[in-house]
């Protein structure tokens, strides 16, 4: 799940970003309305957290433009108590939910989970590959009856591979969709390490390599080992 925070209060935005990354989301931060609109147009975010009072371009305008371009994008508005009428306009302009500042971080994450769950249940329920089950809304994966003990990043990788089962996915694709922009330099070498760890958690050596194939020089592919088909 990839989230864009558009918020000009830098400390606040960075704190939110850190907290959400700890929960396994890939997060980018835009510090004004124009940057927010640009990033939101270029990258395939699942959800945008949008402050209303922003420099360069007003939050409501950003909301309107993003909504027009990406009808399926989830937009959560952050608003001050005295902007309550803006908030109503925001919902009219296509925001999915709002939160009044100040709020507890737990409340934000609960709203995000609720929005994603509502959205995912409609778009795509539990993903199945062989006896693997991957629940994107609850962020839990099972192999048969065994719940897999995956880190947030490992879950995101497995989820992405499952959404594209049978397709060859490059490390670059995984990085683009799962890692936040400022994390890329730090982590780009570690896709292989994460894949290794996921395979280990999927089961014994021979079994686990059959779920995730390495296509030398190209990337990775998740398959159903029983049928060898996606
Ligand atoms: Ca602001």
């Amino acid at each position: 799940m990839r989230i864009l925070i558009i918020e000009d209060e830098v400390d606040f935005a960075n704190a939110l970003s850190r907290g959400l990354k700890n929960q396994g989301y890939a997060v980018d931060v835009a510090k004004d309305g124009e940057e927010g609109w640009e990033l939101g147009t270029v990258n395939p975010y699942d959800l945008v957290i949008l402050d209303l009072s922003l420099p360069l371009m007003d939050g409501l305008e950003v909301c309107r433009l993003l909504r027009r371009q990406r009808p399926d994008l989830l937009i959560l508005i952050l608003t001050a108590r005295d902007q309550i009428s803006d908030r109503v306009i925001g919902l009219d302009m296509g925001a999915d939910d709002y939160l009044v500042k100040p709020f507890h971080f737990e409340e934000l994450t609960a709203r995000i989970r609720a929005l994603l769950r509502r959205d995912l249940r409609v778009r795509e329920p539990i993903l199945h590959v062989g006896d693997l089950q991957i629940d994107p809304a609850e962020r839990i994966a099972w192999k048969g009856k065994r719940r897999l003990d995956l880190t947030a990043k490992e879950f995101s990788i497995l989820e992405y591979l499952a959404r594209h089962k049978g397709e060859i996915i490059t490390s670059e694709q995984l990085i683009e969709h799962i890692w936040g922009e400022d994390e890329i330099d730090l982590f780009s070498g570690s896709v292989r390490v994460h894949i290794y760890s996921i395979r280990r958690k999927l089961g014994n050596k021979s079994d686990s390599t059959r779920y995730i194939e390495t296509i030398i020089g190209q990337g990775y592919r998740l398959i159903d080992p029983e049928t060898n088909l996606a």
Side-chain angles (χ1 to χ4, degrees):
M1 288 292 120
R2 206 166 166 193
I3 296 178
L4 172 64
I5 299 171
I6 310 176
E7 165 65 80
D8 59 318
E9 291 161 56
V10 176
D11 290 346
F12 177 60
N14 289 340
L16 283 186
S17 170
R18 263 197 311 279
L20 291 172
K21 281 175 182 170
N22 285 339
Q23 306 227 338
Y25 300 105
V27 185
D28 296 325
V29 176
K31 295 181 176 61
D32 62 63
E34 268 181 20
E35 189 189 3
W37 176 62
E38 278 169 24
L39 282 177
T41 308
V42 171
N43 296 321
Y45 297 104
D46 299 288
L47 182 138
V48 171
I49 298 171
L50 176 64
D51 183 36
L52 278 189
S53 52
L54 291 165
L56 299 183
M57 192 191 290
D58 177 70
L60 286 176
E61 182 67 3
V62 177
C63 181
R64 197 177 62 77
L65 290 172
L66 284 178
R67 173 54 71 230
R68 201 168 59 188
Q69 231 152 10
R70 289 273 318 274
D72 58 328
L73 182 68
L74 293 169
I75 302 176
L76 173 63
I77 280 183
L78 302 181
T79 177
R81 203 164 285 281
D82 58 3
Q83 293 173 316
I84 225 82
S85 59
D86 284 355
R87 184 207 83 202
V88 176
I89 296 167
L91 292 174
D92 282 348
M93 285 194 163
D96 295 283
D97 199 1
Y98 71 94
L99 209 48
V100 176
K101 290 180 180 179
F103 52 82
H104 287 289
F105 183 69
E106 288 71 23
E107 179 163 15
L108 175 69
T109 54
R111 294 289 185 91
I112 290 173
R113 278 198 307 274
L115 278 176
L116 292 173
R117 192 179 299 130
R118 200 175 73 193
D119 190 49
L120 286 166
R121 287 280 176 252
V122 177
R123 276 196 306 174
E124 41 208 327
I126 292 172
L127 304 163
H128 296 267
V129 181
D131 67 343
L132 290 182
Q133 292 179 60
I134 295 143
D135 184 339
E138 299 298 332
R139 302 183 64 73
I140 297 171
W142 306 76
K143 181 172 183 290
K145 290 190 169 125
R146 179 167 65 90
R147 181 173 165 170
L148 296 172
D149 180 25
L150 301 172
T151 66
K153 198 71 92 191
E154 288 165 2
F155 179 87
S156 298
I157 291 171
L158 189 61
E159 178 196 353
Y160 190 81
L161 291 174
R163 284 186 193 283
H164 300 271
K165 63 181 175 181
E167 295 171 33
I168 299 171
I169 301 297
T170 64
S171 298
E172 289 73 25
Q173 275 172 286
L174 289 174
I175 288 164
E176 184 190 336
H177 289 276
I178 294 164
W179 273 257
E181 282 197 336
D182 57 338
E183 282 184 293
I184 285 178
D185 289 343
L186 226 57
F187 288 102
S188 57
S190 65
V191 169
R192 206 166 15 149
V193 176
H194 287 290
I195 294 279
Y196 173 81
S197 174
I198 296 169
R199 279 181 177 147
R200 203 169 42 79
K201 290 175 181 180
L202 283 177
N204 65 50
K205 248 184 186 165
S206 57
D207 182 34
S208 56
T209 48
R210 286 190 294 143
Y211 277 99
I212 303 177
E213 290 183 329
T214 300
I215 316 295
I216 307 272
Q218 296 187 57
Y220 304 97
R221 177 163 64 184
L222 186 66
I223 55 159
D224 175 358
E226 288 302 314
T227 60
N228 224 16
L229 293 170

